[in-house]
Amino acid sequence: EAGVAQSPRYKIIEKRQSVAFWCNPISGHATLYWYQQILGQGPKLLIQFQNNGVVDDSQLPKDRFSAERLKGVDSTLKIQPAKLEDSAVYLCASSTRTGGGETQYFGPGTRLLVL
Amino acid sequence: QKEVEQDPGPLSVPEGAIVSLNCTYSNSAFQYFMWYRQYSRKGPELLMYTYSSGNKEDGRFTAQVDKSSKYISLFIRDSQPSDSATYLCAMHPTGANSKLTFGKGITLSVRP
């Protein structure tokens, strides 16, 4: 079974530029998550999709971050404009369902450096 | 106070040692408790999961949950250099779409 795919793996941009990350979850997984992991910290949930609907985006900085999940499969996360404090690893994860100890499967992440 | 606090690291032990990793939490609604392992430049992977209080063993790994103390632990017996990684505790309440809250992680190094 193929895992969660993410691209690009690394990205370096200057502040105020825009950037987009792509995620392809495990086939058949209805739930998709985007996390931000700052160096030395645990992942923080940015947004959670159930199929192609948003179920939690309470920690997404909506003035600069946006995300969509096309046809309930792939997802993109965009930052526009980027700030220095956005430097982090952006992790995508997927699961079959939520709320019952289900396993979230993580991709390798995209490392973003904002200069 | 953060919802989930994890012992600070890093931690370095000799091969064969018993390792104890701990987290405390403040939200009494948490019912599912997990330990994720994250190798350098990789995404986290689920190592152990426990529902409510109790112990769970899987090979060299044992997870313990004490809900009365809001304290969870992961024990690693006969630690190996391949166990060198960052260990993250994570937990969430019951209910559809409940959010997983992570500790900040502790980096473990097992010396050959």
Side-chain angles (χ1 to χ4, degrees):
Chain A
E1 179 183 70
V4 176
Q6 290 188 247
S7 68
R9 291 296 308 277
Y10 305 91
K11 192 74 177 178
I12 301 174
I13 62 172
E14 294 188 350
K15 61 183 180 184
R16 292 189 289 274
Q17 286 187 324
S18 62
V19 64
F21 313 127
W22 173 82
C23 172
N24 180 236
I26 292 172
S27 178
H29 281 194
T31 310
L32 185 147
Y33 315 79
W34 282 103
Y35 288 89
Q36 179 192 59
Q37 187 176 23
I38 292 172
L39 186 65
Q41 297 184 22
K44 181 184 83 171
L45 180 68
L46 292 176
I47 188 166
Q48 177 180 334
F49 292 93
Q50 182 73 19
N51 296 308
N52 57 351
V54 175
V55 295
D56 187 346
D57 64 356
S58 57
Q59 299 190 102
L60 186 74
K62 297 180 188 63
D63 58 334
R64 298 184 301 106
F65 286 63
S66 64
E68 61 179 0
R69 189 175 184 193
L70 305 172
K71 299 179 182 177
V73 183
D74 292 5
S75 178
T76 56
L77 176 69
K78 296 179 182 177
I79 308 175
Q80 182 179 12
K83 292 185 176 182
L84 297 177
E85 59 261 35
D86 297 333
S87 295
V89 177
Y90 290 85
L91 295 162
C92 179
S94 69
S95 67
T96 55
R97 57 184 176 89
T98 65
E102 71 289 336
T103 301
Q104 292 188 23
Y105 294 88
F106 285 81
T110 296
R111 292 181 171 271
L112 173 67
L113 179 60
V114 182
L115 301 175
Chain B
Q1 181 188 13
K2 290 198 169 193
E3 274 195 301
V4 179
E5 301 270 11
Q6 190 164 356
D7 286 351
L11 183 61
S12 180
V13 302
E15 183 175 354
I18 296 174
V19 177
S20 171
L21 307 175
N22 308 295
C23 287
T24 59
Y25 63 94
S26 58
N27 187 346
S28 58
F30 287 143
Q31 291 283 355
Y32 292 89
F33 303 91
M34 296 146 180
W35 287 94
Y36 279 81
R37 179 173 61 193
Q38 186 173 24
Y39 290 113
S40 180
R41 302 189 180 276
K42 302 284 187 183
E45 59 176 340
L46 183 66
L47 189 60
M48 299 280 287
Y49 125 71
T50 309
Y51 172 71
S52 194
S53 284
N55 294 356
K56 188 171 186 178
E57 189 172 320
D58 184 2
R60 297 183 295 109
F61 299 88
T62 299
Q64 286 186 353
V65 175
D66 181 350
K67 289 191 68 183
S68 62
S69 302
K70 295 189 177 69
Y71 190 89
I72 71 170
S73 299
L74 177 71
F75 298 96
I76 308 174
R77 291 182 298 280
D78 187 25
S79 55
Q80 302 294 309
S82 58
D83 296 328
S84 298
T86 296
Y87 290 81
L88 300 149
C89 62
M91 49 201 79
H92 71 82
T94 52
N97 304 320
S98 54
K99 185 175 66 182
L100 194 60
T101 301
F102 284 85
K104 62 190 308 182
I106 183 169
T107 299
L108 170 67
S109 176
V110 181
R111 306 186 303 272

